[in-house]
mmCIF file with all atom_site columns, all heavy atoms in Angstrom:
data_model
loop_
_atom_site.group_PDB
_atom_site.id
_atom_site.type_symbol
_atom_site.label_atom_id
_atom_site.label_alt_id
_atom_site.label_comp_id
_atom_site.label_asym_id
_atom_site.label_entity_id
_atom_site.label_seq_id
_atom_site.pdbx_PDB_ins_code
_atom_site.Cartn_x
_atom_site.Cartn_y
_atom_site.Cartn_z
_atom_site.occupancy
_atom_site.B_iso_or_equiv
_atom_site.pdbx_formal_charge
_atom_site.auth_seq_id
_atom_site.auth_comp_id
_atom_site.auth_asym_id
_atom_site.auth_atom_id
_atom_site.pdbx_PDB_model_num
ATOM 1   N N   . MET O 1 102 ? 19.828 -2.546  -18.767 1.00 0.00 ? 102 MET O N   1
ATOM 2   C CA  . MET O 1 102 ? 19.899 -1.403  -17.837 1.00 0.00 ? 102 MET O CA  1
ATOM 3   C C   . MET O 1 102 ? 21.171 -1.455  -17.001 1.00 0.00 ? 102 MET O C   1
ATOM 4   O O   . MET O 1 102 ? 21.802 -0.437  -16.730 1.00 0.00 ? 102 MET O O   1
ATOM 5   C CB  . MET O 1 102 ? 18.682 -1.363  -16.913 1.00 0.00 ? 102 MET O CB  1
ATOM 6   C CG  . MET O 1 102 ? 17.439 -0.814  -17.555 1.00 0.00 ? 102 MET O CG  1
ATOM 7   S SD  . MET O 1 102 ? 16.079 -0.682  -16.373 1.00 0.00 ? 102 MET O SD  1
ATOM 8   C CE  . MET O 1 102 ? 16.565 0.762   -15.437 1.00 0.00 ? 102 MET O CE  1
ATOM 9   N N   . TRP O 1 103 ? 21.548 -2.655  -16.559 1.00 0.00 ? 103 TRP O N   1
ATOM 10  C CA  . TRP O 1 103 ? 22.775 -2.813  -15.769 1.00 0.00 ? 103 TRP O CA  1
ATOM 11  C C   . TRP O 1 103 ? 23.984 -2.445  -16.628 1.00 0.00 ? 103 TRP O C   1
ATOM 12  O O   . TRP O 1 103 ? 24.883 -1.730  -16.173 1.00 0.00 ? 103 TRP O O   1
ATOM 13  C CB  . TRP O 1 103 ? 22.890 -4.237  -15.240 1.00 0.00 ? 103 TRP O CB  1
ATOM 14  C CG  . TRP O 1 103 ? 24.159 -4.459  -14.490 1.00 0.00 ? 103 TRP O CG  1
ATOM 15  C CD1 . TRP O 1 103 ? 25.376 -4.814  -15.009 1.00 0.00 ? 103 TRP O CD1 1
ATOM 16  C CD2 . TRP O 1 103 ? 24.377 -4.300  -13.085 1.00 0.00 ? 103 TRP O CD2 1
ATOM 17  N NE1 . TRP O 1 103 ? 26.322 -4.897  -14.033 1.00 0.00 ? 103 TRP O NE1 1
ATOM 18  C CE2 . TRP O 1 103 ? 25.736 -4.588  -12.837 1.00 0.00 ? 103 TRP O CE2 1
ATOM 19  C CE3 . TRP O 1 103 ? 23.562 -3.954  -12.026 1.00 0.00 ? 103 TRP O CE3 1
ATOM 20  C CZ2 . TRP O 1 103 ? 26.277 -4.545  -11.567 1.00 0.00 ? 103 TRP O CZ2 1
ATOM 21  C CZ3 . TRP O 1 103 ? 24.106 -3.910  -10.763 1.00 0.00 ? 103 TRP O CZ3 1
ATOM 22  C CH2 . TRP O 1 103 ? 25.445 -4.193  -10.541 1.00 0.00 ? 103 TRP O CH2 1
ATOM 23  N N   . ARG O 1 106 ? 24.505 1.262   -17.063 1.00 0.00 ? 106 ARG O N   1
ATOM 24  C CA  . ARG O 1 106 ? 24.897 1.984   -15.841 1.00 0.00 ? 106 ARG O CA  1
ATOM 25  C C   . ARG O 1 106 ? 26.253 1.539   -15.304 1.00 0.00 ? 106 ARG O C   1
ATOM 26  O O   . ARG O 1 106 ? 27.031 2.354   -14.841 1.00 0.00 ? 106 ARG O O   1
ATOM 27  C CB  . ARG O 1 106 ? 23.808 1.772   -14.783 1.00 0.00 ? 106 ARG O CB  1
ATOM 28  C CG  . ARG O 1 106 ? 24.122 2.366   -13.449 1.00 0.00 ? 106 ARG O CG  1
ATOM 29  C CD  . ARG O 1 106 ? 23.606 3.789   -13.347 1.00 0.00 ? 106 ARG O CD  1
ATOM 30  N NE  . ARG O 1 106 ? 23.666 4.221   -11.971 1.00 0.00 ? 106 ARG O NE  1
ATOM 31  C CZ  . ARG O 1 106 ? 24.338 5.291   -11.565 1.00 0.00 ? 106 ARG O CZ  1
ATOM 32  N NH1 . ARG O 1 106 ? 24.958 6.037   -12.423 1.00 0.00 ? 106 ARG O NH1 1
ATOM 33  N NH2 . ARG O 1 106 ? 24.363 5.614   -10.295 1.00 0.00 ? 106 ARG O NH2 1
ATOM 34  N N   . PHE O 1 107 ? 26.536 0.207   -15.349 1.00 0.00 ? 107 PHE O N   1
ATOM 35  C CA  . PHE O 1 107 ? 27.727 -0.315  -14.669 1.00 0.00 ? 107 PHE O CA  1
ATOM 36  C C   . PHE O 1 107 ? 28.695 -1.084  -15.565 1.00 0.00 ? 107 PHE O C   1
ATOM 37  O O   . PHE O 1 107 ? 29.709 -1.564  -15.091 1.00 0.00 ? 107 PHE O O   1
ATOM 38  C CB  . PHE O 1 107 ? 27.294 -1.240  -13.527 1.00 0.00 ? 107 PHE O CB  1
ATOM 39  C CG  . PHE O 1 107 ? 26.425 -0.562  -12.512 1.00 0.00 ? 107 PHE O CG  1
ATOM 40  C CD1 . PHE O 1 107 ? 25.061 -0.820  -12.475 1.00 0.00 ? 107 PHE O CD1 1
ATOM 41  C CD2 . PHE O 1 107 ? 26.944 0.341   -11.608 1.00 0.00 ? 107 PHE O CD2 1
ATOM 42  C CE1 . PHE O 1 107 ? 24.242 -0.197  -11.552 1.00 0.00 ? 107 PHE O CE1 1
ATOM 43  C CE2 . PHE O 1 107 ? 26.141 0.972   -10.679 1.00 0.00 ? 107 PHE O CE2 1
ATOM 44  C CZ  . PHE O 1 107 ? 24.784 0.707   -10.651 1.00 0.00 ? 107 PHE O CZ  1
ATOM 45  N N   . VAL O 1 117 ? 27.346 -8.852  -7.394  1.00 0.00 ? 117 VAL O N   1
ATOM 46  C CA  . VAL O 1 117 ? 26.343 -7.934  -6.853  1.00 0.00 ? 117 VAL O CA  1
ATOM 47  C C   . VAL O 1 117 ? 25.000 -8.653  -6.684  1.00 0.00 ? 117 VAL O C   1
ATOM 48  O O   . VAL O 1 117 ? 24.310 -8.474  -5.670  1.00 0.00 ? 117 VAL O O   1
ATOM 49  C CB  . VAL O 1 117 ? 26.209 -6.677  -7.736  1.00 0.00 ? 117 VAL O CB  1
ATOM 50  C CG1 . VAL O 1 117 ? 25.027 -5.829  -7.314  1.00 0.00 ? 117 VAL O CG1 1
ATOM 51  C CG2 . VAL O 1 117 ? 27.486 -5.862  -7.688  1.00 0.00 ? 117 VAL O CG2 1
ATOM 52  N N   . GLY O 1 121 ? 23.123 -9.165  -3.216  1.00 0.00 ? 121 GLY O N   1
ATOM 53  C CA  . GLY O 1 121 ? 21.736 -8.714  -3.122  1.00 0.00 ? 121 GLY O CA  1
ATOM 54  C C   . GLY O 1 121 ? 20.802 -9.833  -2.703  1.00 0.00 ? 121 GLY O C   1
ATOM 55  O O   . GLY O 1 121 ? 19.889 -9.624  -1.901  1.00 0.00 ? 121 GLY O O   1
ATOM 56  N N   . ILE O 1 124 ? 21.204 -10.398 1.048   1.00 0.00 ? 124 ILE O N   1
ATOM 57  C CA  . ILE O 1 124 ? 20.509 -9.340  1.797   1.00 0.00 ? 124 ILE O CA  1
ATOM 58  C C   . ILE O 1 124 ? 18.997 -9.561  1.739   1.00 0.00 ? 124 ILE O C   1
ATOM 59  O O   . ILE O 1 124 ? 18.300 -9.448  2.751   1.00 0.00 ? 124 ILE O O   1
ATOM 60  C CB  . ILE O 1 124 ? 20.889 -7.943  1.250   1.00 0.00 ? 124 ILE O CB  1
ATOM 61  C CG1 . ILE O 1 124 ? 22.363 -7.649  1.549   1.00 0.00 ? 124 ILE O CG1 1
ATOM 62  C CG2 . ILE O 1 124 ? 19.982 -6.856  1.839   1.00 0.00 ? 124 ILE O CG2 1
ATOM 63  C CD1 . ILE O 1 124 ? 22.923 -6.443  0.825   1.00 0.00 ? 124 ILE O CD1 1
ATOM 64  N N   . PHE O 1 157 ? 5.245  -0.912  1.528   1.00 0.00 ? 157 PHE O N   1
ATOM 65  C CA  . PHE O 1 157 ? 6.648  -0.664  1.835   1.00 0.00 ? 157 PHE O CA  1
ATOM 66  C C   . PHE O 1 157 ? 7.590  -1.445  0.912   1.00 0.00 ? 157 PHE O C   1
ATOM 67  O O   . PHE O 1 157 ? 8.670  -0.957  0.576   1.00 0.00 ? 157 PHE O O   1
ATOM 68  C CB  . PHE O 1 157 ? 6.948  -0.936  3.303   1.00 0.00 ? 157 PHE O CB  1
ATOM 69  C CG  . PHE O 1 157 ? 6.574  0.223   4.182   1.00 0.00 ? 157 PHE O CG  1
ATOM 70  C CD1 . PHE O 1 157 ? 5.372  0.225   4.870   1.00 0.00 ? 157 PHE O CD1 1
ATOM 71  C CD2 . PHE O 1 157 ? 7.401  1.319   4.288   1.00 0.00 ? 157 PHE O CD2 1
ATOM 72  C CE1 . PHE O 1 157 ? 4.999  1.306   5.654   1.00 0.00 ? 157 PHE O CE1 1
ATOM 73  C CE2 . PHE O 1 157 ? 7.043  2.424   5.078   1.00 0.00 ? 157 PHE O CE2 1
ATOM 74  C CZ  . PHE O 1 157 ? 5.845  2.401   5.753   1.00 0.00 ? 157 PHE O CZ  1
ATOM 75  N N   . PHE O 1 158 ? 7.190  -2.643  0.473   1.00 0.00 ? 158 PHE O N   1
ATOM 76  C CA  . PHE O 1 158 ? 8.016  -3.376  -0.500  1.00 0.00 ? 158 PHE O CA  1
ATOM 77  C C   . PHE O 1 158 ? 8.131  -2.576  -1.793  1.00 0.00 ? 158 PHE O C   1
ATOM 78  O O   . PHE O 1 158 ? 9.221  -2.438  -2.360  1.00 0.00 ? 158 PHE O O   1
ATOM 79  C CB  . PHE O 1 158 ? 7.433  -4.751  -0.802  1.00 0.00 ? 158 PHE O CB  1
ATOM 80  C CG  . PHE O 1 158 ? 7.569  -5.741  0.326   1.00 0.00 ? 158 PHE O CG  1
ATOM 81  C CD1 . PHE O 1 158 ? 6.490  -6.522  0.707   1.00 0.00 ? 158 PHE O CD1 1
ATOM 82  C CD2 . PHE O 1 158 ? 8.772  -5.917  0.997   1.00 0.00 ? 158 PHE O CD2 1
ATOM 83  C CE1 . PHE O 1 158 ? 6.606  -7.440  1.736   1.00 0.00 ? 158 PHE O CE1 1
ATOM 84  C CE2 . PHE O 1 158 ? 8.893  -6.829  2.026   1.00 0.00 ? 158 PHE O CE2 1
ATOM 85  C CZ  . PHE O 1 158 ? 7.805  -7.593  2.396   1.00 0.00 ? 158 PHE O CZ  1
ATOM 86  N N   . PHE O 1 159 ? 7.011  -2.049  -2.274  1.00 0.00 ? 159 PHE O N   1
ATOM 87  C CA  . PHE O 1 159 ? 7.037  -1.275  -3.507  1.00 0.00 ? 159 PHE O CA  1
ATOM 88  C C   . PHE O 1 159 ? 7.817  0.023   -3.338  1.00 0.00 ? 159 PHE O C   1
ATOM 89  O O   . PHE O 1 159 ? 8.630  0.383   -4.193  1.00 0.00 ? 159 PHE O O   1
ATOM 90  C CB  . PHE O 1 159 ? 5.616  -0.989  -4.009  1.00 0.00 ? 159 PHE O CB  1
ATOM 91  C CG  . PHE O 1 159 ? 5.069  -2.092  -4.850  1.00 0.00 ? 159 PHE O CG  1
ATOM 92  C CD1 . PHE O 1 159 ? 4.214  -3.028  -4.302  1.00 0.00 ? 159 PHE O CD1 1
ATOM 93  C CD2 . PHE O 1 159 ? 5.414  -2.217  -6.190  1.00 0.00 ? 159 PHE O CD2 1
ATOM 94  C CE1 . PHE O 1 159 ? 3.703  -4.074  -5.066  1.00 0.00 ? 159 PHE O CE1 1
ATOM 95  C CE2 . PHE O 1 159 ? 4.908  -3.234  -6.975  1.00 0.00 ? 159 PHE O CE2 1
ATOM 96  C CZ  . PHE O 1 159 ? 4.051  -4.171  -6.414  1.00 0.00 ? 159 PHE O CZ  1
ATOM 97  N N   . VAL O 1 160 ? 7.577  0.733   -2.251  1.00 0.00 ? 160 VAL O N   1
ATOM 98  C CA  . VAL O 1 160 ? 8.290  1.999   -2.011  1.00 0.00 ? 160 VAL O CA  1
ATOM 99  C C   . VAL O 1 160 ? 9.797  1.734   -1.911  1.00 0.00 ? 160 VAL O C   1
ATOM 100 O O   . VAL O 1 160 ? 10.603 2.430   -2.535  1.00 0.00 ? 160 VAL O O   1
ATOM 101 C CB  . VAL O 1 160 ? 7.766  2.704   -0.736  1.00 0.00 ? 160 VAL O CB  1
ATOM 102 C CG1 . VAL O 1 160 ? 8.672  3.847   -0.318  1.00 0.00 ? 160 VAL O CG1 1
ATOM 103 C CG2 . VAL O 1 160 ? 6.347  3.220   -0.978  1.00 0.00 ? 160 VAL O CG2 1
ATOM 104 N N   . GLY O 1 161 ? 10.181 0.704   -1.156  1.00 0.00 ? 161 GLY O N   1
ATOM 105 C CA  . GLY O 1 161 ? 11.595 0.352   -1.042  1.00 0.00 ? 161 GLY O CA  1
ATOM 106 C C   . GLY O 1 161 ? 12.196 -0.031  -2.380  1.00 0.00 ? 161 GLY O C   1
ATOM 107 O O   . GLY O 1 161 ? 13.322 0.374   -2.723  1.00 0.00 ? 161 GLY O O   1
ATOM 108 N N   . GLY O 1 162 ? 11.455 -0.780  -3.181  1.00 0.00 ? 162 GLY O N   1
ATOM 109 C CA  . GLY O 1 162 ? 11.937 -1.176  -4.498  1.00 0.00 ? 162 GLY O CA  1
ATOM 110 C C   . GLY O 1 162 ? 12.126 0.014   -5.430  1.00 0.00 ? 162 GLY O C   1
ATOM 111 O O   . GLY O 1 162 ? 13.113 0.111   -6.154  1.00 0.00 ? 162 GLY O O   1
ATOM 112 N N   . ILE O 1 163 ? 11.177 0.932   -5.400  1.00 0.00 ? 163 ILE O N   1
ATOM 113 C CA  . ILE O 1 163 ? 11.277 2.131   -6.243  1.00 0.00 ? 163 ILE O CA  1
ATOM 114 C C   . ILE O 1 163 ? 12.463 2.984   -5.820  1.00 0.00 ? 163 ILE O C   1
ATOM 115 O O   . ILE O 1 163 ? 13.253 3.449   -6.660  1.00 0.00 ? 163 ILE O O   1
ATOM 116 C CB  . ILE O 1 163 ? 9.957  2.945   -6.180  1.00 0.00 ? 163 ILE O CB  1
ATOM 117 C CG1 . ILE O 1 163 ? 8.845  2.177   -6.900  1.00 0.00 ? 163 ILE O CG1 1
ATOM 118 C CG2 . ILE O 1 163 ? 10.147 4.333   -6.780  1.00 0.00 ? 163 ILE O CG2 1
ATOM 119 C CD1 . ILE O 1 163 ? 7.455  2.724   -6.648  1.00 0.00 ? 163 ILE O CD1 1
ATOM 120 N N   . ILE O 1 164 ? 12.653 3.169   -4.527  1.00 0.00 ? 164 ILE O N   1
ATOM 121 C CA  . ILE O 1 164 ? 13.783 3.973   -4.036  1.00 0.00 ? 164 ILE O CA  1
ATOM 122 C C   . ILE O 1 164 ? 15.106 3.331   -4.434  1.00 0.00 ? 164 ILE O C   1
ATOM 123 O O   . ILE O 1 164 ? 16.010 4.008   -4.944  1.00 0.00 ? 164 ILE O O   1
ATOM 124 C CB  . ILE O 1 164 ? 13.691 4.157   -2.501  1.00 0.00 ? 164 ILE O CB  1
ATOM 125 C CG1 . ILE O 1 164 ? 12.518 5.078   -2.154  1.00 0.00 ? 164 ILE O CG1 1
ATOM 126 C CG2 . ILE O 1 164 ? 15.008 4.705   -1.948  1.00 0.00 ? 164 ILE O CG2 1
ATOM 127 C CD1 . ILE O 1 164 ? 12.182 5.132   -0.670  1.00 0.00 ? 164 ILE O CD1 1
ATOM 128 N N   . MET O 1 165 ? 15.230 2.024   -4.217  1.00 0.00 ? 165 MET O N   1
ATOM 129 C CA  . MET O 1 165 ? 16.488 1.346   -4.558  1.00 0.00 ? 165 MET O CA  1
ATOM 130 C C   . MET O 1 165 ? 16.759 1.366   -6.063  1.00 0.00 ? 165 MET O C   1
ATOM 131 O O   . MET O 1 165 ? 17.893 1.522   -6.505  1.00 0.00 ? 165 MET O O   1
ATOM 132 C CB  . MET O 1 165 ? 16.504 -0.092  -4.036  1.00 0.00 ? 165 MET O CB  1
ATOM 133 C CG  . MET O 1 165 ? 16.695 -0.187  -2.541  1.00 0.00 ? 165 MET O CG  1
ATOM 134 S SD  . MET O 1 165 ? 18.122 0.751   -1.909  1.00 0.00 ? 165 MET O SD  1
ATOM 135 C CE  . MET O 1 165 ? 19.477 -0.020  -2.758  1.00 0.00 ? 165 MET O CE  1
ATOM 136 N N   . THR O 1 166 ? 15.719 1.210   -6.857  1.00 0.00 ? 166 THR O N   1
ATOM 137 C CA  . THR O 1 166 ? 15.888 1.268   -8.312  1.00 0.00 ? 166 THR O CA  1
ATOM 138 C C   . THR O 1 166 ? 16.389 2.641   -8.727  1.00 0.00 ? 166 THR O C   1
ATOM 139 O O   . THR O 1 166 ? 17.295 2.754   -9.547  1.00 0.00 ? 166 THR O O   1
ATOM 140 C CB  . THR O 1 166 ? 14.559 0.942   -9.027  1.00 0.00 ? 166 THR O CB  1
ATOM 141 O OG1 . THR O 1 166 ? 14.164 -0.378  -8.658  1.00 0.00 ? 166 THR O OG1 1
ATOM 142 C CG2 . THR O 1 166 ? 14.716 1.027   -10.537 1.00 0.00 ? 166 THR O CG2 1
ATOM 143 N N   . ARG O 1 167 ? 15.811 3.684   -8.145  1.00 0.00 ? 167 ARG O N   1
ATOM 144 C CA  . ARG O 1 167 ? 16.262 5.046   -8.458  1.00 0.00 ? 167 ARG O CA  1
ATOM 145 C C   . ARG O 1 167 ? 17.726 5.251   -8.070  1.00 0.00 ? 167 ARG O C   1
ATOM 146 O O   . ARG O 1 167 ? 18.491 5.859   -8.810  1.00 0.00 ? 167 ARG O O   1
ATOM 147 C CB  . ARG O 1 167 ? 15.395 6.089   -7.746  1.00 0.00 ? 167 ARG O CB  1
ATOM 148 C CG  . ARG O 1 167 ? 13.938 6.100   -8.133  1.00 0.00 ? 167 ARG O CG  1
ATOM 149 C CD  . ARG O 1 167 ? 13.668 6.653   -9.487  1.00 0.00 ? 167 ARG O CD  1
ATOM 150 N NE  . ARG O 1 167 ? 14.133 8.019   -9.594  1.00 0.00 ? 167 ARG O NE  1
ATOM 151 C CZ  . ARG O 1 167 ? 14.176 8.688   -10.727 1.00 0.00 ? 167 ARG O CZ  1
ATOM 152 N NH1 . ARG O 1 167 ? 13.768 8.133   -11.825 1.00 0.00 ? 167 ARG O NH1 1
ATOM 153 N NH2 . ARG O 1 167 ? 14.599 9.921   -10.756 1.00 0.00 ? 167 ARG O NH2 1
ATOM 154 N N   . ILE O 1 168 ? 18.110 4.740   -6.910  1.00 0.00 ? 168 ILE O N   1
ATOM 155 C CA  . ILE O 1 168 ? 19.489 4.901   -6.438  1.00 0.00 ? 168 ILE O CA  1
ATOM 156 C C   . ILE O 1 168 ? 20.454 4.109   -7.317  1.00 0.00 ? 168 ILE O C   1
ATOM 157 O O   . ILE O 1 168 ? 21.459 4.625   -7.788  1.00 0.00 ? 168 ILE O O   1
ATOM 158 C CB  . ILE O 1 168 ? 19.620 4.478   -4.961  1.00 0.00 ? 168 ILE O CB  1
ATOM 159 C CG1 . ILE O 1 168 ? 18.893 5.473   -4.060  1.00 0.00 ? 168 ILE O CG1 1
ATOM 160 C CG2 . ILE O 1 168 ? 21.087 4.345   -4.556  1.00 0.00 ? 168 ILE O CG2 1
ATOM 161 C CD1 . ILE O 1 168 ? 18.744 5.021   -2.623  1.00 0.00 ? 168 ILE O CD1 1
ATOM 162 N N   . VAL O 1 169 ? 20.141 2.826   -7.540  1.00 0.00 ? 169 VAL O N   1
ATOM 163 C CA  . VAL O 1 169 ? 21.070 1.956   -8.261  1.00 0.00 ? 169 VAL O CA  1
ATOM 164 C C   . VAL O 1 169 ? 21.157 2.306   -9.739  1.00 0.00 ? 169 VAL O C   1
ATOM 165 O O   . VAL O 1 169 ? 22.255 2.432   -10.291 1.00 0.00 ? 169 VAL O O   1
ATOM 166 C CB  . VAL O 1 169 ? 20.668 0.468   -8.077  1.00 0.00 ? 169 VAL O CB  1
ATOM 167 C CG1 . VAL O 1 169 ? 21.469 -0.436  -8.986  1.00 0.00 ? 169 VAL O CG1 1
ATOM 168 C CG2 . VAL O 1 169 ? 20.853 0.050   -6.631  1.00 0.00 ? 169 VAL O CG2 1
ATOM 169 N N   . TYR O 1 170 ? 20.027 2.456   -10.399 1.00 0.00 ? 170 TYR O N   1
ATOM 170 C CA  . TYR O 1 170 ? 20.056 2.636   -11.846 1.00 0.00 ? 170 TYR O CA  1
ATOM 171 C C   . TYR O 1 170 ? 20.131 4.074   -12.321 1.00 0.00 ? 170 TYR O C   1
ATOM 172 O O   . TYR O 1 170 ? 20.566 4.355   -13.413 1.00 0.00 ? 170 TYR O O   1
ATOM 173 C CB  . TYR O 1 170 ? 18.853 1.951   -12.498 1.00 0.00 ? 170 TYR O CB  1
ATOM 174 C CG  . TYR O 1 170 ? 19.030 0.455   -12.550 1.00 0.00 ? 170 TYR O CG  1
ATOM 175 C CD1 . TYR O 1 170 ? 18.252 -0.370  -11.764 1.00 0.00 ? 170 TYR O CD1 1
ATOM 176 C CD2 . TYR O 1 170 ? 19.983 -0.118  -13.371 1.00 0.00 ? 170 TYR O CD2 1
ATOM 177 C CE1 . TYR O 1 170 ? 18.418 -1.748  -11.803 1.00 0.00 ? 170 TYR O CE1 1
ATOM 178 C CE2 . TYR O 1 170 ? 20.148 -1.478  -13.428 1.00 0.00 ? 170 TYR O CE2 1
ATOM 179 C CZ  . TYR O 1 170 ? 19.374 -2.288  -12.634 1.00 0.00 ? 170 TYR O CZ  1
ATOM 180 O OH  . TYR O 1 170 ? 19.555 -3.633  -12.680 1.00 0.00 ? 170 TYR O OH  1
ATOM 181 N N   . PHE O 1 171 ? 19.687 4.989   -11.502 1.00 0.00 ? 171 PHE O N   1
ATOM 182 C CA  . PHE O 1 171 ? 19.663 6.373   -11.962 1.00 0.00 ? 171 PHE O CA  1
ATOM 183 C C   . PHE O 1 171 ? 20.507 7.289   -11.099 1.00 0.00 ? 171 PHE O C   1
ATOM 184 O O   . PHE O 1 171 ? 20.619 8.458   -11.400 1.00 0.00 ? 171 PHE O O   1
ATOM 185 C CB  . PHE O 1 171 ? 18.211 6.887   -12.023 1.00 0.00 ? 171 PHE O CB  1
ATOM 186 C CG  . PHE O 1 171 ? 17.330 6.017   -12.901 1.00 0.00 ? 171 PHE O CG  1
ATOM 187 C CD1 . PHE O 1 171 ? 16.410 5.165   -12.333 1.00 0.00 ? 171 PHE O CD1 1
ATOM 188 C CD2 . PHE O 1 171 ? 17.479 6.015   -14.267 1.00 0.00 ? 171 PHE O CD2 1
ATOM 189 C CE1 . PHE O 1 171 ? 15.622 4.338   -13.117 1.00 0.00 ? 171 PHE O CE1 1
ATOM 190 C CE2 . PHE O 1 171 ? 16.698 5.202   -15.070 1.00 0.00 ? 171 PHE O CE2 1
ATOM 191 C CZ  . PHE O 1 171 ? 15.762 4.361   -14.487 1.00 0.00 ? 171 PHE O CZ  1
ATOM 192 N N   . GLY O 1 172 ? 21.070 6.764   -10.030 1.00 0.00 ? 172 GLY O N   1
ATOM 193 C CA  . GLY O 1 172 ? 21.954 7.553   -9.174  1.00 0.00 ? 172 GLY O CA  1
ATOM 194 C C   . GLY O 1 172 ? 21.324 8.837   -8.683  1.00 0.00 ? 172 GLY O C   1
ATOM 195 O O   . GLY O 1 172 ? 22.017 9.818   -8.477  1.00 0.00 ? 172 GLY O O   1
ATOM 196 N N   . GLY O 1 173 ? 20.020 8.830   -8.502  1.00 0.00 ? 173 GLY O N   1
ATOM 197 C CA  . GLY O 1 173 ? 19.333 10.022  -8.014  1.00 0.00 ? 173 GLY O CA  1
ATOM 198 C C   . GLY O 1 173 ? 19.023 11.020  -9.108  1.00 0.00 ? 173 GLY O C   1
ATOM 199 O O   . GLY O 1 173 ? 18.402 12.040  -8.861  1.00 0.00 ? 173 GLY O O   1
#
Side-chain angles (χ1 to χ4, degrees):
M102 282 184 76
W103 177 274
R106 176 90 168 122
F107 302 105
V117 171
I124 293 168
F157 278 98
F158 288 134
F159 274 99
V160 168
I163 290 167
I164 290 170
M165 286 309 299
T166 300
R167 298 287 300 171
I168 290 170
V169 171
Y170 284 111
F171 304 106

